[in-house]
Amino acid sequence: MSEQLALTRDLTEPEPIPEAGIARATELMRSGRLFRYGEMGADQLDASLLEEEFAAFVGRRYCVAVNSGGAAIFLALKLLDVEPGAPVLVNGFTLAPVPGAIRHAGARPVIVEIGQDYCIDIDDLVAKARMSGAKVLVLSHMRGHIADMDAVMAACTDLGLALVEDCAHALCASWRGRAIGTFGAIGAFSAQTYKHLNAGEGGFVVLDDEDMAARAILHSGSYMLHAQHRSVPPPAVIARWSEETPNFSLRMTALAAALLRSQLAELPRRARRWNEIHDRIGARLSRSQHVRLPHRSPHESYSATSVQFSLPGLSMDEIIAALAACKARGLPVKWFGGARQVGFTSAPRHWRYAGDQGPLTATHQVLASLCDIRTPVTLTDEECDLIGDIVCEAIETVVRASAWPRKGAAPAGHLADGFRTTREDDS
């Protein structure tokens, strides 16, 4: 037992920017040259170098840096020529900026059910694609949970779907050794503070098609200064699109790029530590028979920056009471089952702008008990153990105050099945 110790860490605390990034950012601020392009010539190339380096890191031919992850998804949909009012498929476990980007592009979200392990339901994907006539799937790798990409790609091929991967939470993740972000026609990444890379705000689209890359550069707002890009198609390809492509002003600033370039080398270390934190907290949580941890495929190599678990046997009032007890001990736990969206949680029932989606019974049943803990990469092992203890003790206190047996409780020992506490490379 943790003797009712309180957590004294701010779980929103990011790791500091590396000194090299601070030095370069300071140099840019002293110069005042914060725009990514130089009108009198390419006098600074922070964003262009970042694009080249990020494309190489992910394993795509081209990268275009933009001002947010939501802008990256919006841009991806424009590159796929999604028409106003067109249906676009998206899985039901995601955050509001994803259906928001679909609406921003003038399209109509069609929400696909999720399964018990938080990933897209392939059968419902097939049904919704046929029912709606959608030609694009935005697959959100929400909170780093990777769907069966073999099944996803087979469905996309059979249905003629273009795939956009929302990789905001999945940088460094892979499926059968292939990097997430390289399966779809386009991958979209985020560099918001709580992601793997931190510029405050920022995003990337990564892709291989030279015509779409040319349009992405022009859409992002290059002002015909595209020659200052290093991750760029041949000039003839740019010229083919230069007068056909509107400027949407989605550029990343030189300042954001300078902060991000210094962090790329830190990604492997950060990903390893984040996974250690995820697995240690998960192992602690698995001691409670009232906690369900999602199963992860052995083909998935995840890259977690947070921990998710479900409380399927507890009522709404019991979940509220347990989370209040956690908060009283300094541990904020997000909950996707709340009546209203709060902070970084939301559910399809909150997205009225998405139109009538029907009941989405399976998705809302899963989200009703889904809890989420942010995990800064600087957490110590002792803090990880305390987090697990606080959750388990809060649940036990609530359960003891309620009648037993309870419907839906998982059998003891079941919850650790399929939860990996050691990392393995998939082949």
Side-chain angles (χ1 to χ4, degrees):
M1 296 290 286
S2 58
E3 300 179 353
Q4 297 298 302
L5 294 175
L7 184 69
T8 58
R9 281 293 303 274
D10 177 359
L11 297 186
T12 67
E13 179 182 77
E15 191 172 51
I17 302 298
E19 287 301 320
I22 294 172
R24 177 55 181 158
T26 301
E27 182 181 0
L28 285 171
M29 287 188 287
R30 288 195 172 117
S31 74
R33 296 183 180 276
L34 307 183
F35 191 52
R36 70 162 292 172
Y37 300 107
E39 190 172 2
M40 302 303 293
D43 51 358
Q44 58 81 12
L45 287 170
D46 295 84
S48 296
L49 288 166
L50 174 64
E51 289 169 337
E52 184 178 54
E53 293 159 356
F54 192 82
F57 185 89
V58 175
R60 300 298 299 247
R61 188 177 178 189
Y62 301 110
C63 170
V64 178
V66 292
N67 53 26
S68 74
I73 297 172
F74 161 79
L75 180 55
L77 295 174
K78 300 305 289 187
L79 297 176
L80 291 171
D81 296 315
V82 172
E83 297 288 341
V88 173
L89 300 156
V90 60
N91 45 310
F93 182 38
T94 189
L95 291 180
V98 179
I102 295 171
R103 292 292 290 118
H104 185 195
R108 173 172 59 87
V110 176
I111 300 173
V112 181
E113 297 269 30
I114 62 169
Q116 290 296 315
D117 297 314
Y118 314 152
C119 294
I120 194 167
D121 183 309
I122 300 298
D123 290 338
D124 196 54
L125 169 63
V126 173
K128 294 282 177 63
R130 289 174 175 165
M131 175 273 296
S132 67
K135 296 301 180 185
V136 176
L137 166 63
V138 176
L139 180 64
S140 183
H141 301 297
M142 176 65 170
R143 292 295 196 257
H145 294 278
I146 309 303
D148 181 338
M149 294 306 295
D150 299 334
V152 169
M153 296 310 295
C156 287
T157 298
D158 291 344
L159 297 163
L161 294 173
L163 175 62
V164 174
E165 292 181 81
D166 166 26
C167 307
H169 301 153
L171 184 56
C172 301
S174 64
W175 178 265
R176 294 187 186 272
R178 179 176 172 180
I180 294 301
T182 66
F183 286 84
I186 304 169
F189 291 83
S190 172
Q192 187 250 28
T193 289
Y194 302 126
K195 306 301 190 297
H196 293 80
L197 294 172
N198 171 21
E201 281 289 2
F204 307 93
V205 292
V206 294
L207 62 167
D208 298 323
D209 182 89
E210 64 180 19
D211 284 286
M212 286 199 292
R215 292 170 59 201
I217 289 169
L218 294 164
H219 274 316
S220 71
S222 61
Y223 287 104
M224 304 311 297
L225 299 173
H226 39 76
Q228 294 178 24
H229 284 253
R230 296 168 65 95
S231 177
V232 62
V237 180
I238 293 281
R240 183 158 64 236
W241 293 102
S242 63
E243 296 183 0
E244 304 291 335
T245 308
N247 178 338
F248 292 142
S249 293
L250 304 173
R251 295 169 300 275
M252 178 180 284
T253 67
L255 186 61
L259 297 174
L260 291 171
R261 286 193 67 212
S262 66
Q263 296 174 54
L264 280 175
E266 298 295 317
L267 276 174
R269 174 191 62 80
R270 288 182 179 178
R272 283 193 300 271
R273 180 55 190 161
W274 255 314
N275 283 341
E276 290 170 358
I277 289 168
H278 170 275
D279 293 350
R280 190 174 185 107
I281 294 174
R284 207 77 169 186
L285 292 173
S286 70
R287 298 177 308 160
S288 171
Q289 65 176 327
H290 308 294
V291 172
R292 183 186 189 279
L293 296 166
H295 171 78
R296 289 188 183 269
S297 167
H299 302 309
E300 172 192 4
S301 178
Y302 53 89
S303 181
T305 59
S306 57
V307 172
Q308 291 71 48
F309 59 94
S310 295
L311 302 173
L314 275 64
S315 69
M316 178 178 290
D317 287 343
E318 288 169 332
I319 292 174
I320 291 171
L323 300 191
C326 291
K327 186 176 181 179
R329 293 178 63 184
L331 175 62
V333 180
K334 298 179 179 65
W335 177 40
F336 283 81
R340 296 185 179 276
Q341 51 189 343
V342 178
F344 293 90
T345 64
S346 61
R349 64 183 179 278
H350 300 132
W351 308 331
R352 296 184 183 179
Y353 51 82
D356 183 12
Q357 299 288 328
L360 292 170
T361 303
T363 294
H364 285 122
Q365 183 179 28
V366 172
L367 297 182
S369 70
L370 198 161
C371 300
D372 176 31
I373 300 174
R374 192 183 302 285
T375 55
V377 73
T378 52
L379 279 177
T380 66
D381 286 351
E382 293 75 19
E383 288 167 333
C384 293
D385 293 345
L386 179 58
I387 287 170
D389 289 344
I390 288 173
V391 173
C392 290
E393 290 165 15
I395 294 169
E396 290 306 314
T397 298
V398 168
V399 167
R400 280 198 302 268
S402 303
W404 184 262
R406 67 186 48 249
K407 183 179 179 181
H414 167 76
L415 300 172
D417 292 352
F419 186 82
R420 305 205 300 278
T421 55
T422 57
R423 305 296 306 125
E424 56 189 51
D425 292 329
D426 301 11
S427 58

